[in-house]
């Protein structure tokens, strides 16, 4: 992909709340078993917030790590792009709240709504400001408090989701630096909108006693429809991206997929010919944190010593919308 200036990731920060919701806890809340959850999804536990903790709180912790690691002042950040489906409130945007809390005076920002693809969409949106030369340092964040929109009486959804946040700093690269963001594919198929959505709380069905009584402010999902689409599109988008860059799955050092279901990940990886040791799967520990999964997976890879500067990384996602994303880059952070 041609760009004026190279954009590179120079730092990563992640944060999950300490409180755990295990499969054993869920066995006491709904008609399910730990064995069913593990076999069908790969999830063993999720982190969830205490009451009153919001998406911006998690994101701020992740961003603080970035500022500390890079040794830069908050005032050096020029823009903040936040991928989330659980903003603290409909407005002001979560980006505004984070800008204030971090003290990024002079930065502007906004939220991106793309559900599970929101981190990749935020990442690429942020990178464009760097590529054009408009900004030198931009934060891209993926953060969600899914527990705020989950019905803990619905076994089909409550076993899947968790809370968490991750962020990266994108900076302008020197012209000779090879460790830059290389290419991406984004797609939407809006016809899949009713397969995964929150029916009320927006302008179509504003909050009312009736919408609350009918539990319309929770996630509603046709699990099988999402599953089938995700299996197909995660692999398809990744394959197209690899092919047009003259690569195959075997060339990739690390595959970092959205963590929605272990079976979806393994099916995509198999189609891409990706050996298991190159795939990051941490869904067992965190569940599906929506916009948080990919940066949290990058964090797991780093902790395990599996992510090094210069590694060729492929990230892929499918989410509500439907939204699809795939990003190819050379990891630029130390
Ligand atoms: O990030 C993007 C967002 N979401 C996704 O990517 C989710 C994609 N979908 C999935 O991961 C899977 O479809 C689920 C994990 C949601 C469900 O797994 P599944 O294998 O597709 O199950 P199913 O919906 O086909 O249901 C199979 C059976 C049903 O029982 P019957 O009708 O066969 O008697 C369900 O009622 O499993 C039952 N079931 C459960 N049983 C125990 C559904 N949820 C549970 C549960 N515990 N939690």
């Amino acid at each position: 992909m041609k760009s004026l200036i190279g954009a590179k990731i120079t730092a990563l920060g992640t944060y999950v709340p300490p409180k755990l919701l295990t499969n054993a806890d869920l066995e006491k809340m709904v008609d399910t078993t730990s064995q069913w959850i593990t076999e069908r999804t790969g999830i063993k536990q999720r982190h969830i917030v205490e009451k009153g903790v919001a998406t911006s709180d998690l994101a701020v912790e992740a961003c603080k790590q970035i500022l500390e690691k890079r040794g830069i002042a908050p005032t050096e950040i020029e823009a903040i792009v936040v991928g989330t489906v659980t903003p603290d409130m409909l407005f002001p945007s979560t980006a505004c709240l984070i800008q204030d809390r971090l003290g990024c005076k002079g930065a502007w920002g906004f939220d991106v709504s793309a559900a599970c693809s929101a981190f990749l969409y935020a990442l690429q949106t942020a990178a464009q400001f760097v590529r054009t030369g408009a900004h030198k340092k931009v934060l891209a964040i993926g953060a969600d408090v899914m527990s705020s929109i989950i019905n803990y009486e619905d076994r089909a959804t409550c076993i899947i989701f968790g809370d968490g946040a991750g962020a990266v700093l994108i900076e302008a690269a020197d012209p000779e630096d090879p460790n830059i963001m290389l290419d991406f594919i984004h797609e939407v198929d809006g016809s899949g909108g009713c397969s995964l959505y929150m029916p009320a709380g927006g302008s179509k069905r504003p909050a009312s006693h009736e919408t609350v009584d009918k539990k319309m402010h929770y996630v509603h999902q046709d699990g099988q429809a999402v599953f089938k689409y995700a299996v197909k599109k995660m692999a398809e988008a990744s394959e197209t991206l690899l092919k047009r860059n003259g690569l195959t799955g075997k060339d990739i050092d690390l595959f970092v997929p959205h963590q929605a279901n272990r079976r979806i990940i393994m099916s995509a990886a198999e189609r891409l010919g990706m050996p298991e040791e190159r795939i990051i799967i941490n869904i067992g520990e965190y569940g599906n944190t929506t916009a948080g999964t990919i940066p949290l997976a990058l964090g797991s890879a780093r902790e395990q010593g599996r992510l090094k500067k210069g590694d060729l990384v492929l990230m892929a996602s499918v989410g509500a919308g439907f939204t699809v994303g795939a990003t190819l880059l050379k990891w630029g952070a130390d």
Side-chain angles (χ1 to χ4, degrees):
M1 191 175 60
K2 294 231 162 27
S3 70
L4 304 173
I5 298 167
K8 64 182 292 190
I9 291 179
T10 58
L12 167 73
T14 59
Y15 183 77
V16 289
K19 185 175 165 186
L20 288 179
L21 180 66
T22 64
N23 288 357
D25 295 329
L26 285 163
E27 280 181 344
K28 294 179 202 132
M29 294 159 67
V30 288
D31 180 16
T32 192
T33 61
S34 182
Q35 189 186 351
W36 190 96
I37 301 170
T38 311
E39 283 176 9
R40 305 308 293 166
T41 68
I43 303 169
K44 294 192 169 125
Q45 62 174 37
R46 318 110 195 97
H47 291 249
I48 60 164
V49 299
E50 297 286 354
K51 207 167 179 212
V53 176
T55 295
S56 68
D57 297 315
L58 308 189
V60 162
E61 292 306 319
C63 292
K64 277 184 187 164
Q65 291 172 14
I66 286 180
L67 297 176
E68 199 177 310
K69 267 182 216 147
R70 269 300 276 138
I72 58 171
T75 46
E76 289 182 57
I77 303 296
E78 293 164 277
I80 301 168
V81 186
V82 185
T84 186
V85 80
T86 52
D88 289 26
M89 46 200 124
L90 275 180
F91 69 90
S93 71
T94 318
C96 292
L97 305 172
I98 295 168
Q99 180 267 348
D100 181 50
R101 289 267 304 280
L102 284 177
C104 297
K105 294 197 189 330
W108 68 292
F110 54 93
D111 291 0
V112 168
S113 174
C116 297
S117 300
F119 174 72
L120 292 187
Y121 284 26
L123 177 71
Q124 290 299 344
T125 305
Q128 304 313 315
F129 295 115
V130 172
R131 286 196 182 107
T132 58
H135 296 313
K136 289 197 171 59
K137 288 184 173 56
V138 183
L139 284 172
I141 301 167
D144 271 303
V145 172
M146 292 306 292
S147 61
S148 66
I149 55 168
I150 292 300
N151 176 2
Y152 283 99
E153 292 174 352
D154 174 13
R155 69 177 183 173
T157 51
C158 74
I159 54 125
I160 298 172
F161 295 98
D163 303 336
V168 292
L169 178 63
I170 302 163
E171 296 189 62
D174 292 332
E176 67 282 0
D177 191 338
N179 299 326
I180 57 172
M181 294 172 65
L182 299 169
D183 199 2
F184 73 96
I185 285 177
H186 289 167
E187 284 176 32
V188 300
D189 178 357
S191 69
C194 57
S195 296
L196 179 51
Y197 72 133
M198 193 170 96
S203 57
K204 191 175 176 72
R205 292 190 195 89
S208 68
H209 286 294
E210 191 195 354
T211 61
V212 173
D213 288 345
K214 288 184 173 165
K215 302 185 191 307
M216 294 168 84
H217 301 82
Y218 292 129
V219 170
H220 289 242
Q221 172 171 257
D222 176 348
Q224 284 198 7
V226 180
F227 188 94
K228 279 182 198 150
Y229 188 82
V231 161
K232 181 169 171 280
K233 290 304 287 192
M234 180 109 81
E236 215 171 85
S238 300
E239 251 173 356
T240 309
L241 187 63
L242 289 174
K243 204 168 171 189
R244 79 179 185 198
N245 284 277
L247 300 165
T248 71
K250 293 188 176 55
D251 299 311
I252 297 299
D253 294 311
L254 210 58
F255 180 45
V256 185
H258 167 55
Q259 312 280 314
N261 186 316
R262 191 174 207 281
R263 290 183 294 141
I264 295 175
I265 296 172
M266 292 314 290
S267 148
E270 193 181 332
R271 189 162 146 187
L272 293 167
M274 201 88 66
E276 199 163 343
E277 63 274 13
R278 306 233 184 114
I279 313 166
I280 297 297
I281 304 181
N282 67 357
I283 192 170
E285 211 178 328
Y286 300 117
N288 179 350
T289 56
T290 303
T293 62
I294 290 181
L296 284 172
L298 289 166
S300 295
R302 194 180 53 185
E303 277 163 27
Q304 294 161 16
R306 295 167 68 191
L307 178 60
K308 299 175 298 299
K309 195 173 197 168
D311 278 351
L312 186 59
V313 178
L314 173 67
M315 312 184 213
S317 66
V318 171
F322 292 122
T323 56
V324 181
T327 282
L328 188 65
L329 56 80
K330 287 220 161 199
W331 189 248
D334 288 319

